[in-house]
């Protein structure tokens, strides 16, 4: 420690003597560290955004869709056939031990009217379990109940977007709106959810009892009175998602009387798998960007080595003089190594500040979420120090091994 302090002072004096050269030498490290901080922040922000989107959909969610419809040999894709019913939902909730809750849903579009205002939105009929599965909170008023479903009550829950476009700051709870000419009482409003992973506005929706939606708004024939568009299912825990999926598949095949040779007339989608794939892609991209940015650190390290070699050549007589008055090999090595590390660390600190500023600017101008983590800052700082040690060792060793007599003769 006693030798490090004077070596550091000598290093700072040497760097101050050539300020412009020192600044240009640090530039590579500054750019490298700043780029690493910014790219990691962008990647971390993307990962956090995906996590938020996962939470906005709900926890442990599985979606069951109707099967495809074949007409004249043409398969129209999933969701065109009417193969799922409210009884299927009740059977899944009753007979699948790894399922927490099930909510059948029927969806359609409609024009909502209040006073002189109107708004076209999505109308969704469902059950109270839908709110718990989707983690939907009530901002004001109250949710509809199972009693409302049983009696086909004309009550509705409104998303924030619908409220903003219809009520102009008025309290919507208790007001009467008209949907396809049918009066509905607004029982409550939903806590905002924001965009879905596909970019859809999750707050542009009206929820109502599924029985009411079928009878009053969406319409359904007597033959399809029990049919539903989708089943939204919540598993008891993330660990049993696959088990719940297998249980539902087996039960639905049994209920739909499908033979072993027949394909499923439904499809089951595990949302966690989709989001995990997105998150993995985001993480790989972050690592790739950080690796590319790290090349700048290596280039900066090569610049430090180059300048330190030049410095050794310029100060050969000084080195010889220090050796002649008693400086040991280790003292010379420490001095030049401290100079290299000082250059690198100073560049690292400035790079960290610039990286944080760039991250904030990206977040502000690109409207992209960024997250500067302490771990990324610590990693960049340590890496910059290691670059100084690694690329500064050879010039320092070359200086330390100079022959004192030859060094004093050097012109």
């Amino acid at each position: 420690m006693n030798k490090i302090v004077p070596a550091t002072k000598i290093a700072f004096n040497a760097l101050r003597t050539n300020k412009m050269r020192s600044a240009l030498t640090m530039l590579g490290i500054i750019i490298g560290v700043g780029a690493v901080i910014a790219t990691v922040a962008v990647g971390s922000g993307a990962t956090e955004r995906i996590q938020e989107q996962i939470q906005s959909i709900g926890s442990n969610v599985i979606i069951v869709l109707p099967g495809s419809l074949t007409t004249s040999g043409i398969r129209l894709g999933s969701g065109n056939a009417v193969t799922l019913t409210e009884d299927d939902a009740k059977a899944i909730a009753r007979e699948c031990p790894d399922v927490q809750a099930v909510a059948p849903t029927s969806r359609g579009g409609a024009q909502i009217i209040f006073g002189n205002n109107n708004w076209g939105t999505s109308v969704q009929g469902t059950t109270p379990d839908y709110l718990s599965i989707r983690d939907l909170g009530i901002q004001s008023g109250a949710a509809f109940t199972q009693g409302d479903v049983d009696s086909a009550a004309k009550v509705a829950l409104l998303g924030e977007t619908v409220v903003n476009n219809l009520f102009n700051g008025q309290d919507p709870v208790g007001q009467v709106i008209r949907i396809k000419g049918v009066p509905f009482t607004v029982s409550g409003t939903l806590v905002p959810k924001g965009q879905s992973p596909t970019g859809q506005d999750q707050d542009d929706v009206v929820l109502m009892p599924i029985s009411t939606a079928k009878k009053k708004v969406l319409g359904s024939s007597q033959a399809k009175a029990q049919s539903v568009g989708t089943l939204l299912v919540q598993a008891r825990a993330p660990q049993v998602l696959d088990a719940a999926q297998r249980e539902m598949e087996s039960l639905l095949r049994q209920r739909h009387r499908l033979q072993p040779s027949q394909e499923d007339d439904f499809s089951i989608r595990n949302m966690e798998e989709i989001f995990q794939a997105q998150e993995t892609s985001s993480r790989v991209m972050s690592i790739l960007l950080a690796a590319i940015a790290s090349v700048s650190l290596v280039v900066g390290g090569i610049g430090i080595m180059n300048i330190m070699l030049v410095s050794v050549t310029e100060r050969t007589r000084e080195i010889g003089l220090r050796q002649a008055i008693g400086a040991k090999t280790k003292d010379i090595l420490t001095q030049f190594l401290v100079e290299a590390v000082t250059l690198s660390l100073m560049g690292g600190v400035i790079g960290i500040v610039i990286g944080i500023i760039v991250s904030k600017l990206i977040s502000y101008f690109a409207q992209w979420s960024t997250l500067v983590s302490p771990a990324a800052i610590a990693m960049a700082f340590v890496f910059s120090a290691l670059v100084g040690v690694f690329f500064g060792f050879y010039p320092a060793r070359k200086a330390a091994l100079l022959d004192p007599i030859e060094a004093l003769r050097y012109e």
Side-chain angles (χ1 to χ4, degrees), residues 3-4 7-8 11 308 312 315 319 322-323 327-341 388-402:
K3 295 180 180 180
I4 294 292
T8 303
M308 292 306 298
V312 169
R315 295 159 63 188
I319 295 167
R322 292 194 63 202
Q323 289 175 326
K328 298 180 181 178
T329 301
K330 185 164 61 173
D331 298 328
I332 304 297
L333 178 68
T334 301
Q335 177 191 339
F336 280 87
L337 196 57
V338 166
E339 282 189 31
V341 173
V389 173
F390 182 81
F391 287 98
F393 182 78
Y394 174 71
R397 187 171 181 273
K398 182 178 180 182
L401 294 179
L402 284 175

Side-chain angles (χ1 to χ4, degrees), residues 37 48 54 56 63 79 99-100 113 123 127 152 210 226 228 230 235 239 257 259 304-305 307 314 382 389 397:
I37 293 291
E48 186 183 48
I54 293 173
S56 74
I63 296 178
V99 169
Q100 178 75 29
I113 299 172
V123 174
T127 63
I210 189 168
Q226 285 290 310
V228 296
T230 59
Q239 296 80 6
R257 295 184 174 86
Q259 298 300 318
I304 288 176
M305 178 185 284
I307 291 301
E314 290 178 345
V382 171
V389 173
R397 187 171 181 273

